[in-house]
Amino acid sequence: MTVTNDLERLQRLLDDAGEALSEHFYSASNHVSTLKRRADEESSADGAILQKAMEHIASAITALQFQDMATQLIAHTSQRLRNCADQLARDTFGDDEDGTVVVEIAPLRPNPVTQDEMDAGSIELF
């Protein structure tokens, strides 16, 4: 049940991050194109359009951080599934003529990622 909950949260993270990336990068690209066109025509830059582009780029960076969190959750879930499979195999089949069955240690923390939705906030680059 815990693994199922992790996978559902993972799906929400990936969906939110992918949608946000597409939306914000597309919007930033449009704003930068408009700024370039105006700069070419008037030899001046429009500060408001530049500010909007920067806001969209900042949102895209936040979305990329959620992609990193999703990657961590995938790795964590894979370790948990592997541990469960190893334990089931050991309990079902026991040791064989090659020796004792080795079961990989389960992750100590129940979940490496606690965030489950995207909100605006400060950005830490990693």
Side-chain angles (χ1 to χ4, degrees), residues 93-109:
F93 301 112
D95 296 333
D96 60 15
E97 64 274 353
D98 292 335
T100 305
V101 175
V102 177
V103 176
E104 189 176 321
I105 297 171
L108 299 177
R109 296 183 343 207

Side-chain angles (χ1 to χ4, degrees), residues 84-95 101:
C84 290
D86 289 349
Q87 286 182 19
L88 284 171
R90 181 192 61 205
D91 294 347
T92 302
F93 301 112
D95 296 333
V101 175

Side-chain angles (χ1 to χ4, degrees), residues 60-77:
I61 291 170
T62 300
L64 287 171
Q65 290 175 321
F66 273 79
Q67 181 275 332
D68 179 61
M69 291 169 61
T71 300
Q72 292 177 43
L73 188 55
I74 288 170
H76 175 80
T77 302

